[in-house]
């Protein structure tokens, strides 16, 4: 049975104060998990987790992670700004973007963030954006193409992904930047999403370490840090096993000792940019059953919809569902659990065995603490739900209010007076 930090009685009391739907995050569990993650990778000379802001872009969450030593990995100007607002600044911010506007590069540079370039053509683009000079520190994103096997379907095969430079381009990119006067270099890759096989990440590290050694041999550039990306998965399904951080760390350390140390690259700083394993299991979407329907299938309709959690509808992702107060009841019913969006893919669960659900029952949708509220949208004019944080002392605080009609209409010119003429 999936863990939830509140009793049924506590959850009922909370929903009396905070109307459903809403997200709830468990601060204590997030902190404990981050400590465990950091401890596992402390076997390297220098380690830092750059939390993927896109997973849960809320300053309360970012401040919690910052206090546990995390940096931030950002993909856009608003994420860069949000990180700065949360106290994560300078080299503790990695700007990993693609097809990036010049103004966003300028902001990252002005704030001392590490710029991680996605293509070799971005070198002259960045130079022009910054007035003819490159930053002192540059990182490049590597796409290993056919050299990397076993990738899952979320990102897909590296050869089909829009991200990164080829191996040959990586060598040339470092050579160019060295000639341009860049002093410090990093190497990054990201080839997986929600992967649960520890060996996958060890193999990825092997590829990255070997490339770092090759870069030094062919260009004289010393790679000072490698960012192994993210992609560590979480066990969404009951029969899945959580990834062992220690196993991953020890496997990567073995490759470090085999490749990095003999190449004279030790100490090499090791970074991750994980989002999902850091907050994913510790966030929950709370909703109520408001409708039932009996046609060719049995349906339960919630007061939430795909606008709040799009993963199941977008690519059939599985999220465990608990009916609060009926945890020990027999799962003798089969339902499609759906939302009110005018799209047939708006389903949180399809043909799921659950206890009998009555109207007004509170449903807990698990493992929604990453890529949940962050991926919300306003199709059908739906208003995205709010977020609350369960503090270690048991208090619950609102960390994002739910949207209102006024929020939705705020960008509209309701009088029709705006003109570009």
């Amino acid at each position: 049975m999936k863990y939830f930090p509140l009793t049924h009685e506590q959850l009922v009391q909370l929903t009396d104060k905070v109307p459903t739907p809403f997200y709830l995050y468990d601060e204590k569990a997030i902190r404990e998990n981050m400590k465990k993650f950091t401890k596992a990778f402390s076997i390297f000379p220098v380690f830092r987790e750059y939390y993927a802001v896109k997973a849960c872009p809320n300053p309360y969450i970012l401040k919690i992670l910052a206090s546990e030593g995390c940096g931030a990995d950002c993909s856009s100007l608003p994420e860069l700004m949000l990180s700065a607002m949360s106290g994560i600044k300078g080299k503790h911010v990695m700007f990993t973007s693609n097809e990036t506007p010049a103004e966003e590069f300028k902001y990252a540079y002005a704030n001392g963030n590490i710029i991680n370039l996605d293509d070799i053509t971005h070198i002259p683009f960045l130079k022009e954006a910054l007035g003819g000079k490159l930053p002192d520190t540059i990182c490049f994103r590597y796409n290993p193409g056919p050299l990397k096997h076993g990738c899952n379907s979320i990102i897909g095969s590296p050869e089909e992904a829009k991200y990164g430079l080829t191996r040959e381009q990586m060598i040339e990119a470092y050579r160019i930047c060295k000639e341009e006067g860049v002093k410090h270099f990093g190497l990054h890759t990201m080839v997986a999403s929600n992967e649960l096989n520890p060996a996958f990440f060890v193999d990825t590290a092997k590829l990255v370490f070997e490339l770092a050694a090759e870069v030094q041999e062919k260009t004289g550039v010393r790679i000072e840090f490698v960012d192994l990306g993210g992609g560590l998965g979480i066990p969404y399904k009951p029969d899945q096993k959580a990834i062992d951080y220690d196993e991953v760390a020890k496997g990567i350390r073995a490759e470090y000792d085999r490749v990095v140390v003999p190449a004279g690259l030790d100490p090499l700083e090791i970074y991750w940019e994980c989002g999902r394993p850091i907050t994913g299991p510790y966030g929950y979407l709370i909703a109520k059953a408001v409708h039932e329907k009996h046609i060719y299938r049995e349906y339960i309709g919630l007061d939430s919809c795909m606008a709040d959690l799009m993963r199941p509808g977008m690519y059939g992702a599985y999220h465990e569902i608990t009916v609060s107060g009926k945890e020990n009841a027999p799962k003798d019913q089969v339902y499609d659990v759906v939302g009110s969006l005018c799209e047939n893919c708006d389903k949180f669960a399809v043909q799921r065995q659950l206890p009998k659900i009555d109207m007004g029952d509170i449903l807990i949708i698990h493992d929604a603490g990453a890529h949940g509220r962050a991926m919300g949208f306003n199709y059908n004019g739906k208003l995205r739900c709010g977020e609350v944080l369960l503090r270690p002392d048991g208090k619950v605080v609102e960390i994002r209010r739910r949207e209102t009609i006024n929020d939705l209409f705020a960008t509209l010119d309701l009088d029709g007076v705006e003109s570009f003429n």
Side-chain angles (χ1 to χ4, degrees):
M1 181 183 299
K2 287 276 188 178
Y3 172 77
F4 184 66
L6 298 179
T7 66
H8 173 64
E9 291 72 21
Q10 289 172 325
L11 183 57
V12 170
Q13 291 175 8
L14 180 58
T15 57
D16 287 340
K17 299 175 183 177
V18 183
T20 54
F22 60 85
Y23 275 87
L24 181 143
Y25 304 100
D26 184 349
E27 178 180 346
K28 180 181 177 182
I30 291 172
R31 288 188 180 278
E32 290 176 349
N33 178 56
M34 193 59 239
K35 285 181 172 65
K36 180 180 177 182
F37 190 84
T38 301
K39 182 180 178 182
F41 291 95
S42 65
I43 61 175
F44 294 96
V46 178
F47 167 73
R48 185 176 302 279
E49 153 68 357
Y50 284 77
Y51 179 72
V53 175
K54 60 181 172 285
C56 192
N58 189 296
Y60 278 80
I61 302 299
L62 296 179
K63 288 176 182 178
I64 289 169
L65 294 173
S67 71
E68 295 294 338
C70 286
D73 182 86
C74 301
S75 301
S76 68
L77 177 59
E79 290 184 0
L80 290 170
M81 297 174 71
L82 192 59
S83 297
M85 293 174 192
S86 304
I88 308 175
K89 300 179 180 180
K91 300 293 187 184
H92 287 182
V93 176
M94 183 81 66
F95 187 36
T96 305
S97 61
N98 64 93
E99 316 312 331
T100 309
E103 292 303 315
E104 300 194 6
F105 278 139
K106 290 179 183 178
Y107 181 95
Y109 175 73
N111 286 275
N113 306 146
I114 299 174
I115 295 177
N116 184 17
L117 294 180
D118 188 60
D119 191 70
I120 194 168
T121 63
H122 293 176
I123 299 172
F125 184 89
L126 177 62
K127 182 178 178 181
E128 182 179 356
L130 300 183
K133 186 179 186 300
L134 291 173
D136 286 342
T137 301
I138 285 283
C139 185
F140 288 102
R141 179 169 184 166
Y142 174 43
N143 183 329
L147 297 176
K148 183 61 181 172
H149 303 286
C151 301
N152 57 36
S153 62
I154 298 178
I155 287 183
S157 166
E159 294 167 277
E160 299 171 2
K162 68 175 183 175
Y163 308 108
L165 290 75
T166 67
R167 195 177 191 91
E168 293 75 17
Q169 289 174 336
M170 292 288 284
I171 302 295
E172 180 65 8
Y174 289 113
R175 184 191 65 77
I176 293 171
C177 287
K178 180 183 178 183
E179 292 177 356
E180 290 283 350
V182 176
K183 297 180 176 63
H184 307 285
F185 296 91
L187 197 165
H188 165 271
T189 196
M190 173 78 176
V191 291
S193 183
N194 197 36
E195 177 60 57
L196 289 171
N197 179 8
F200 183 95
F201 300 100
V202 176
D203 180 67
T204 299
K206 171 180 176 290
L207 288 176
V208 171
F209 294 157
E210 289 175 348
L211 178 56
E214 184 180 355
V215 167
Q216 178 172 256
E217 179 184 348
K218 292 183 176 179
T219 69
V221 166
R222 184 186 186 281
I223 303 296
E224 297 179 11
F225 65 87
V226 296
D227 183 337
L228 298 174
L232 274 71
I234 61 175
Y236 286 100
K237 297 181 179 181
D239 60 346
Q240 291 177 322
K241 180 184 176 183
I243 200 162
D244 186 329
Y245 299 151
D246 289 319
E247 181 180 353
V248 174
K250 290 174 182 176
I252 294 175
R253 179 71 213 207
E255 291 299 328
Y256 183 100
D257 292 338
R258 186 184 70 83
V259 179
V260 173
V261 174
L265 293 172
D266 181 45
L268 179 66
E269 299 183 12
I270 304 297
Y271 303 157
W272 282 103
E273 57 167 84
C274 291
R276 192 188 317 268
I278 305 302
T279 57
Y282 315 111
Y284 310 84
L285 176 57
I286 310 300
K288 282 186 179 179
V290 294
H291 287 286
E292 57 185 324
K293 187 169 184 174
H294 316 283
I295 49 173
Y296 307 105
R297 291 183 176 184
E298 297 295 303
Y299 292 91
I300 295 295
L302 304 186
D303 58 3
S304 185
C305 70
M306 188 178 170
D308 294 318
L309 179 63
M310 74 186 309
R311 296 186 71 256
M314 184 179 184
Y315 39 77
Y318 182 98
H319 284 264
E320 184 77 346
I321 294 176
T322 296
V323 183
S324 185
K326 297 182 178 180
E327 290 83 357
N328 298 316
K331 296 182 178 181
D332 54 5
Q333 306 293 313
V334 177
Y335 297 113
D336 279 15
V337 181
V338 303
S340 59
L341 206 67
C342 193
E343 292 290 338
N344 196 45
C345 62
D346 181 21
K347 298 181 178 182
F348 295 107
V350 176
Q351 294 295 277
R352 186 75 61 86
Q353 286 190 275
L354 292 165
K356 183 180 183 304
I357 297 175
D358 298 302
M359 296 306 92
D361 278 352
I362 303 171
L363 275 66
I364 302 163
I365 302 177
H366 295 265
D367 300 312
H371 310 290
R373 176 59 172 74
M375 295 176 72
F377 58 97
N378 292 123
Y379 182 58
N380 276 179
K382 295 298 182 180
L383 303 176
R384 290 171 291 188
C385 68
E387 297 171 301
V388 301
L389 179 68
L390 175 63
R391 289 255 137 108
D393 62 4
K395 293 181 180 178
V396 177
V397 295
E398 183 179 62
I399 60 174
R400 189 194 302 270
R401 65 166 174 80
R402 64 192 306 168
E403 290 182 333
T404 67
I405 293 291
N406 287 338
D407 294 327
L408 186 66
F409 291 170
T411 58
L412 296 176
D413 174 19
L414 298 177
D415 297 321
V417 298
E418 291 293 331
S419 173
F420 292 106
N421 295 331

